Amino acid sequence: MARLQDRVAIVTGGASGLGAATVRRFVAEGARVTIADIDAGRGAELARELGSAAHFVRCDHTERAQCRAAVEATLARFGALDILHNNAGGPFAGPVESADDATLARVIGVNLVGAFRMTQEALPALRAAGAQRAGGAVILFTSSLQGIKARPNYTVYTASKHGIVGLVKGLALELAPANIRVNAICPTVTETPMLPRFLPGMAGDMEEARRRFRASIPLGRMPEPVDTGNAAVFLASDEARMITGIALPLDGGQMAG
Ligand SMILES: NC(=O)c1ccc[n+]([C@@H]2O[C@H](COP(=O)([O-])OP(=O)(O)OC[C@H]3O[C@@H](n4cnc5c(N)ncnc54)[C@H](O)[C@@H]3O)[C@@H](O)[C@H]2O)c1
């Protein structure tokens, strides 16, 4: 049997990059998925490609009313919500002094507060799923390797992604009695449309930056978006039924050294 058969998921930021790869893997494993994203063009296109197992809902997860509407649309379309993957986020690279108030509000808002709001709005449905299924319900977050370590000139991003790991630990303890598991995936730098906006802080030349990254990874290769999707499938499935409150590095061994 497929590993997520008959499960219903919302993936925020599901129109692109790591989110789109996760949506594809969830559907391949039998789930029905709401793609919740601000990018209506790409989101609707992915939903069309995947057919009746997926639908697109335009949702800015920093807006509480839009989070609630995405949950309601999911319940109306698929009848339940078992898995929430809070994946939407964005980069910021630059010295800490260069982050003005608007930048701070945007980066912390998109990377942390939005995921917090979406989780709050999804909780009634997730609690119902936790009570109904022996395997319970699941909340996942795409944090980052910078959710568990720092890098100069990425302090605002690092703070937002460490915040996600704090959220995961608190929620894991708070929601365990409701049979809801909560975990974070922490990928190192991965080839997605976000990458060119992320790497310039490390090197002027993109190819040189990629080469330096590969050299810093013990396995000698950068992850692909499907690696995040595969980790999400495992953590969302009953195979991970004893795993909650972790921040899983997806880093080819970088944290080992
Ligand atoms: N690519 C990497 O190297 C990398 C590494 C570690 C963690 N991450 C994290 O993974 C997540 C996905 O990044 P990606 O690389 O796939 O980027 P991406 O730019 O390819 O995709 C991000 C998606 O999020 C959507 N989005 C942005 N703001 C949103 C909002 N307010 N509400 C709803 N959707 C919104 C965008 O429209 C886009 O579809 C982010 O949280 C990012 O911080 C990325």
Side-chain angles (χ1 to χ4, degrees):
M1 187 162 96
R3 294 155 81 192
L4 301 178
Q5 197 63 47
D6 300 328
R7 313 281 291 280
V8 176
I10 294 176
V11 180
T12 68
S16 175
L18 307 184
T22 300
V23 169
R24 286 198 169 89
R25 287 293 294 116
F26 278 6
V27 168
E29 293 292 346
R32 289 164 291 162
V33 183
T34 294
I35 302 161
D37 202 298
I38 53 175
D39 186 336
R42 279 193 190 178
E45 191 182 318
L46 180 58
R48 262 194 308 277
E49 174 197 321
L50 295 172
S52 61
H55 77 143
F56 170 72
V57 175
R58 196 196 176 282
C59 170
D60 178 343
H61 76 159
T62 65
E63 298 290 334
R64 185 175 293 283
Q66 295 186 30
C67 295
R68 189 173 310 146
V71 173
E72 282 166 2
T74 303
L75 296 176
R77 170 85 178 227
F78 298 130
L81 176 63
D82 306 285
I83 302 161
L84 169 64
H85 188 151
N86 286 300
N87 165 80
F92 176 75
V96 68
E97 298 94 326
S98 68
D100 58 15
D101 282 349
T103 305
L104 275 178
R106 177 177 56 79
V107 179
I108 304 291
V110 173
N111 288 352
L112 181 58
V113 181
F116 202 107
R117 288 198 179 118
M118 178 54 101
T119 300
Q120 288 175 317
E121 293 304 318
L123 264 180
L126 292 168
R127 283 187 190 277
Q132 277 159 24
R133 277 191 76 255
V138 173
I139 307 174
L140 298 175
F141 293 83
T142 309
S143 175
S144 166
L145 205 60
Q146 286 174 239
I148 45 183
K149 66 182 289 198
R151 189 182 286 281
N153 294 322
Y154 289 86
T155 299
V156 181
Y157 184 79
T158 299
S160 71
K161 293 299 188 177
H162 271 67
I164 288 290
V165 175
L167 187 54
V168 162
K169 290 180 181 175
L171 288 173
L173 298 182
E174 204 169 318
L175 299 178
N179 199 17
I180 301 173
R181 294 185 297 104
V182 188
N183 292 299
I185 300 167
C186 299
T188 191
V189 172
T190 311
E191 283 285 355
T192 70
M194 180 175 122
L195 195 61
R197 290 182 287 139
F198 192 78
L199 279 183
M202 297 180 189
D205 177 323
M206 283 291 293
E207 273 319 307
E208 172 60 11
R210 283 191 183 92
R211 193 198 60 72
R212 282 170 50 189
F213 255 109
R214 271 194 297 276
S216 76
I217 298 175
L219 282 177
R221 56 179 179 265
M222 285 171 64
E224 295 173 23
V226 73
D227 293 309
T228 290
N230 289 337
V233 166
F234 169 65
L235 289 171
S237 77
D238 291 348
E239 293 162 25
R241 66 185 185 169
M242 283 304 290
I243 301 176
T244 195
I246 69 159
L248 178 72
L250 227 167
D251 66 345
Q254 280 176 311
M255 288 300 291

